[in-house]
Amino acid sequence: MFVLAMRSIRQRPGRFLATLLSAFLGAAIIMTFHSMHDTAGQPGVDSVSAGTLGTAAGVVGGYGTLLVFFAVASTLTVNVRQRAAELELLRCSGATPAQLKRMVVGEAAVVALVGAGLAILPAMLGGRLLLEVFQDSGQVARSVEHSFGTIALTSGIGITLLAAAGAAFLALRRAARGHQRRGRARVFLPYAALVAGALAVCSTFAFSATDSALMAPPAYGSILLSVGCALMAPRLLRGVLDRLTPGGASGWLAVRNLRQRSGQLAGILMSLILFTAVSTATLTMQAVESEAVEASGLVKSVDAKNLETLNFTVVGIIVVFVCVMLVNSLYAATTYRGREFGQQRLAGATPGQVLGVVGAEGLVLTVTGVLFGTLAALAGIVPFTVVRGDKVLPGQMAGVWAAVASIGAAATLGTGLATARRVLRTPAVRAVASTA
């Protein structure tokens, strides 16, 4: 099966580009921040600098691990679904389910290793730049030199490899189950995340305005609430579609397509919800905190500077990963619809009408993702603002929300329409015949 996996990669490398890009970015981020552990462990590093570097590596490294798994899982799920016919042919030819699993997991592992290997040099450069940022802000002493050692290398390669193998296994298992009844864990986890998030948000009122840990409960609460909504993405999408009254043929067809593909589009919607919630909540609360400190005339402590740097860094990483996940998933999903688009054109639809359907689908996905992501963000922002500034809604939120929603809409609508336009360049007869 390993030989078959290598042959599959060599014959059709294009199908693995999305996974390779996700693995590359994930490994680069993980190694960049985990090199701070190597740097902090050098002889002569003072305790304040070591604490700053260790916190950055631990917090952002943890976020990076989760994002690598989600990014690779989203691309591999699309890949496995599109190869259903190929995998079924191999099974009919005598391959056992265990052999197919080893082949798909082997492909993912090879691609992940290649991506991690390519990420080593960028991670070394990124680690140096990150250390300079900490030094310029006064959080790390100028005498500290960057070190890229065993911790960065083993964590980057190991985490990326495990994430890719685990995501491939889960994607193949999900595809094999098809429409079978969902397990109890998948039913329980969304509600558990929502309840935990609600409790975390409510605990904000137990803190005072000057507590250094005030931002933690609402921030984690928003994250947990967004995870709960993301895990319920197919049901949320179907609920929105049931309340829509589409106008015109394009709108009706878009709603019909989304309802039929709600399970397949869950990864895209999950990305939008998490991106909107985490980015809006984190940036808004950080803006409120910075304004409150400035108004009080106090100087930010090292811990406050560390928190601000981590907040901006985490949001930056999330923006990059979500854009990659959206672009990869939408590109793969839209490219796979070449036969569908060809059939519509043979039935009399013009390329403009097909693009209209794709645009309507992207608009519904964007509005749904931004809506539930905003609700999760508000659940954390409102308690934090009430305790910190005696307000309900901060004025900073409008600009932050507009920027976040614009990025999400641009990534979703732009990728979907650009990919559909590219697919429509193929003549309708050829598109139907080549994918039949």
Side-chain angles (χ1 to χ4, degrees):
M1 286 295 110
F2 178 77
V3 175
L4 190 59
M6 293 299 297
R7 182 182 301 173
S8 176
I9 295 174
R10 286 197 299 267
Q11 289 178 346
R12 301 188 65 180
R15 66 164 54 148
F16 299 101
L17 286 179
T19 305
L20 179 64
L21 179 59
S22 298
F24 169 78
L25 289 174
I29 291 173
I30 291 173
M31 287 190 283
T32 294
F33 281 91
H34 277 275
S35 69
M36 298 299 100
H37 280 310
D38 292 312
T39 303
Q42 295 182 101
V45 177
D46 62 278
S47 59
V48 175
S49 298
T52 298
L53 296 173
T55 301
V59 174
V60 182
Y63 272 105
T65 301
L66 293 175
L67 290 170
V68 169
F69 182 82
F70 279 119
V72 175
S74 65
T75 57
L76 286 174
T77 298
V78 175
N79 184 296
V80 170
R81 281 175 175 160
Q82 293 179 354
R83 299 171 62 190
E86 173 190 339
L87 296 175
E88 180 64 20
L89 179 61
L90 290 173
R91 191 188 67 80
C92 294
S93 300
T96 64
Q99 289 175 324
L100 293 179
K101 288 179 182 178
R102 286 197 296 269
M103 183 190 74
V104 175
V105 172
E107 293 171 352
V110 170
V111 173
L113 286 175
V114 173
L118 294 174
I120 293 176
L121 181 58
M124 295 175 67
L125 298 176
R128 292 182 182 276
L129 293 175
L130 181 62
L131 179 60
E132 291 179 3
V133 170
F134 284 126
Q135 291 174 333
D136 291 339
S137 63
Q139 298 165 262
V140 175
R142 288 286 182 182
S143 59
V144 177
E145 295 184 358
H146 180 254
S147 174
F148 189 92
T150 305
I151 297 177
L153 195 61
T154 55
S155 62
I157 295 177
I159 291 173
T160 305
L161 181 61
L162 289 175
F169 179 80
L170 292 177
L172 190 60
R173 184 179 178 184
R174 188 180 300 116
R177 283 190 310 206
H179 298 286
Q180 294 178 9
R181 187 177 180 181
R182 296 188 308 165
R184 293 182 180 179
R186 295 189 64 191
V187 176
F188 170 77
L189 286 177
Y191 295 104
L194 292 175
V195 171
L199 292 175
V201 166
C202 292
S203 67
T204 306
F205 296 102
F207 292 81
S208 66
T210 56
D211 282 334
S212 59
L214 174 62
M215 195 183 298
Y220 285 118
S222 290
I223 293 173
L224 289 171
L225 290 172
S226 65
V227 169
C229 291
L231 292 174
M232 299 173 66
R235 280 179 282 175
L236 294 178
L237 179 58
R238 286 193 291 268
V240 171
L241 295 175
D242 290 340
R243 289 162 176 78
L244 283 180
T245 304
S250 296
W252 180 87
L253 189 57
V255 171
R256 175 180 174 275
N257 291 340
L258 289 172
R259 185 173 284 112
Q260 291 181 340
R261 300 167 55 230
S262 60
Q264 301 176 14
L265 298 171
I268 298 171
L269 195 54
M270 287 174 65
S271 302
L272 279 170
I273 293 173
L274 291 170
F275 165 65
T276 304
V278 176
S279 300
T280 303
T282 304
L283 293 178
T284 300
M285 285 189 282
Q286 183 59 59
V288 171
E289 176 66 22
S290 297
E291 185 177 286
V293 172
E294 184 178 351
S296 66
L298 299 175
V299 179
K300 288 185 179 180
S301 64
V302 174
D303 290 337
K305 290 182 179 180
N306 288 344
L307 180 60
E308 184 176 6
T309 302
L310 290 175
N311 283 337
F312 288 130
T313 303
V314 167
V315 171
I317 292 173
I318 290 174
V319 169
V320 172
F321 259 100
V322 167
C323 287
V324 170
M325 291 168 65
L326 285 175
V327 171
N328 285 347
S329 300
L330 282 169
Y331 178 83
T334 307
T335 303
Y336 188 64
R337 300 174 67 185
R339 185 169 185 263
E340 173 191 338
F341 294 161
Q343 290 175 331
Q344 292 176 2
R345 293 162 63 191
L346 291 177
T350 65
Q353 289 173 326
V354 175
L355 288 176
V357 173
V358 175
E361 294 173 0
L363 182 60
V364 173
L365 285 174
T366 301
V367 171
T368 304
V370 171
L371 171 63
F372 288 101
T374 302
L375 292 176
L378 282 171
I381 291 172
V382 170
F384 176 80
T385 309
V386 169
V387 175
R388 190 68 175 94
D390 293 328
K391 296 180 181 179
V392 177
L393 282 178
Q396 298 90 335
M397 182 179 173
V400 172
W401 182 87
V404 170
S406 298
I407 294 174
T412 306
L413 293 171
T415 303
L417 290 173
T419 307
R421 186 182 296 274
R422 176 178 174 275
V423 173
L424 289 172
R425 293 176 184 173
T426 304
V429 175
R430 185 188 303 173
V432 173
S434 61
T435 55

